[in-house]
Amino acid sequence: MRTNKRKIEKGKTPADTTQRAIRLVLNEGMAGNNIAKHFLIPQKTLHRYVVKAKSQKENNGEINLKRVGYFNWRNIFSKEQETVLADYL
């Protein structure tokens, strides 16, 4: 079986770092491009998350992005199901 090795560092920003950057842009009114440089987040990515957070903030009053970064949409089993199946086998 082949193992795929990641060759780029794209999409590796932790969720808590992104949350802090979004809060600084929305609550403190700081410039997005300066915050993006400070937290080493691409400016367009930060902008996309800020727009998403603004719409959530208007709906329920708080900023909480549950998912940040890239996701594997082709999973058949969840992590818990995989561990149960691996233990069984």
Side-chain angles (χ1 to χ4, degrees), residues 37-61:
K37 286 178 188 174
H38 178 70
F39 285 105
L40 301 175
I41 302 171
Q43 183 179 356
K44 188 63 180 174
T45 303
L46 181 61
H47 174 72
R48 186 175 60 246
Y49 287 132
V50 166
V51 168
K52 218 183 266 189
K54 275 185 187 177
S55 68
Q56 278 188 357
K57 189 175 181 179
E58 290 171 0
N59 292 340
N60 63 7

Side-chain angles (χ1 to χ4, degrees), residues 25-40:
V25 171
L26 291 180
N27 297 338
E28 305 295 324
M30 299 178 82
N33 54 359
N34 292 338
I35 297 298
K37 286 178 188 174
H38 178 70
F39 285 105
L40 301 175

